[in-house]
Amino acid sequence: MIGAGIVGAACAYYAARTGLSVAVVDRAGPAAGTSSGGEGNILLSDKEPGPELELALLSNRLWRELDIGPIELEPKGGLMVATTEAASSNLDMLIARQRAAGVLVDRVDPAEYEPRLSPEVTGGAFYPQDLQVQPMLATARLLRGLTVYSGQTVTGIETAHGRVVAVRTTATRIPTGAVVNAAGVWGGEVAGLAGTTLPIAPRRGFVLVTEPLPVLVRHKVYAADYLANVASDDAGLQTSAVVEGTRAGTLLIGASRERVGFDRTFALPVLRRLAAQAVALFPFLATVRLLRAYRGFRPYSPDHLPMIGRDPRVAGLLHACGHEGAGIGLAPATGHLIAQELAGKPPELDLSPFRPERFE
């Protein structure tokens, strides 16, 4: 496995459970990249019916079945809210489509779920299946007992007669008959080492963290326009209010998206915009102090679907990357399906929508 983020960790975990010998290589260490820069969301609510929702439904089930020790898995549920008649109407149509696809969702009075919401919020939908997890802890638990080469950058993927035979790193050479590219935002670079291509680009996002508070926000709460931002192809800045609590008492505030390469600059205008949108949802936040902010890079895919499965262009090469902001939620299903591929078993889900070569 190349990549020790939560997707790579899940691939390694499920592969090891099938009896395969597994080694994980990462240029830094477990959860050092995208996995450490998110909120730990495991969502069905933000997905339209289609292949990604089918993957998310499988993953939601697998998250609940995982027996790897405490990972702060919270069945808090998600509350999507609308502030205009148009948004409310769009929400009704989305609910109907999601229900038909197997998602549990109820049209609700949002004030009954979150009394501190702004009176401008006029409609809402509650998704009881939405979860939250501590992603760094979950990654560490998934990797427990496995061989992990931390601090080693992959410098080459050796092939012979069109088949993978070894992985070279800055410190060692690892003979292998199969390589899983779970390198996240660097998935395109890793594909290039094997002589193939994947169109993955970094998409930067910021999260604000408040001071510890009593339990004032009980669910993941976000504006309905969050879905449009997730699905957008626009490279420019997009923000929408997302507010949720943690076990530590802090509130996490997002979400922003922009394709600016690997620019790690803390953009104060973006942080101010996120704060203002959060206050518009929850007016009490106007007097709450911020402790810090952090940012991460999501592995953006042009069609917003991850690349999962065997690469027919190089025998023995598989991909598990391009999940953008849904990697934490989709990690168990991705790992489970990759393990089935490695073991030569029919995958539980049709992988054709996720085929890595589809962009050629």
Side-chain angles (χ1 to χ4, degrees), residues 1 12 14-23 146 338-344:
M1 306 291 166
Y14 283 101
R17 285 185 61 184
T18 69
L20 295 171
S21 177
V22 177
L146 301 179
I338 286 290
Q340 290 178 323
E341 285 271 87
L342 288 168

Side-chain angles (χ1 to χ4, degrees), residues 30-351:
T34 300
S35 299
S36 63
E39 300 106 307
N41 294 325
I42 302 168
L43 305 181
L44 300 177
S45 52
D46 66 340
K47 294 170 181 64
E48 291 273 1
E52 188 182 25
L53 180 55
E54 293 174 12
L55 189 66
L57 284 163
L58 172 60
S59 213
N60 193 279
R61 188 196 87 205
L62 293 174
W63 269 117
R64 296 170 187 273
E65 294 174 355
L66 270 177
D67 184 18
I68 55 174
I71 52 175
E72 297 184 18
L73 186 67
E74 295 184 73
K76 63 169 58 177
L79 182 66
M80 190 184 304
V81 298
T83 57
T84 66
E85 287 299 322
S88 186
S89 177
N90 289 338
L91 187 54
D92 284 332
M93 290 187 287
L94 174 67
I95 289 171
R97 294 195 300 273
Q98 289 176 324
R99 280 177 178 160
V103 176
L104 302 179
V105 52
D106 295 310
R107 197 69 153 92
V108 299
D109 176 358
E112 293 182 3
Y113 284 75
E114 295 290 349
R116 294 173 180 83
L117 275 168
S118 165
E120 298 296 318
V121 174
T122 57
F126 182 66
Y127 295 81
Q129 293 163 294
D130 281 0
L131 306 168
Q132 187 177 28
V133 73
Q134 215 301 333
M136 290 176 283
L137 179 58
T139 301
R141 296 279 188 184
L142 288 165
L143 290 172
R144 187 170 49 184
L146 301 179
T147 301
V148 180
Y149 296 91
S150 294
Q152 296 192 28
T153 300
V154 173
T155 58
I157 297 175
E158 296 181 17
T159 60
H161 308 293
R163 172 171 288 278
V164 169
V165 295
V167 170
R168 295 193 312 274
T169 78
T170 47
T172 190
R173 179 182 182 273
I174 307 170
T176 182
V179 170
V180 178
N181 171 17
V185 289
W186 296 281
E189 294 180 24
V190 169
L193 294 176
T196 187
T197 59
L198 290 180
I200 294 175
R203 202 178 188 191
R204 187 176 70 183
F206 289 95
V207 176
L208 309 180
V209 185
T210 72
E211 62 184 320
L213 301 166
V215 180
L216 301 178
V217 179
R218 295 176 293 177
H219 308 92
K220 176 185 173 69
V221 182
Y222 49 100
D225 58 355
Y226 174 76
L227 276 73
N229 288 356
V230 170
S232 173
D233 297 323
D234 195 334
L237 175 65
Q238 298 166 78
T239 62
S240 54
V242 180
V243 182
E244 61 190 310
T246 68
R247 287 190 178 182
T250 57
L251 295 180
L252 305 180
I253 298 171
S256 68
R257 282 171 164 76
E258 54 186 332
R259 296 210 307 273
V260 291
F262 285 100
D263 182 356
R264 299 184 63 82
T265 304
F266 267 98
L268 288 177
V270 179
L271 305 186
R272 292 192 187 101
R273 188 161 153 182
L274 288 174
Q277 290 177 329
V279 170
L281 271 190
F282 288 99
F284 79 88
L285 288 174
T287 59
V288 172
R289 292 178 297 177
L290 291 175
L291 282 184
R292 65 187 181 97
Y294 61 93
R295 74 293 204 216
F297 295 96
R298 305 175 182 93
Y300 169 84
S301 165
D303 63 1
H304 304 286
L305 291 178
M307 297 86 166
I308 304 173
R310 294 187 179 276
D311 192 324
R313 299 164 293 188
V314 182
L317 177 65
L318 297 88
H319 300 289
C321 49
H323 296 74
E324 202 173 322
I328 292 166
L330 301 178
T334 301
H336 173 62
L337 295 166
I338 286 290
Q340 290 178 323
E341 285 271 87
L342 288 168
K345 299 177 181 178
E348 185 171 340
L349 201 68
D350 177 18
L351 291 179

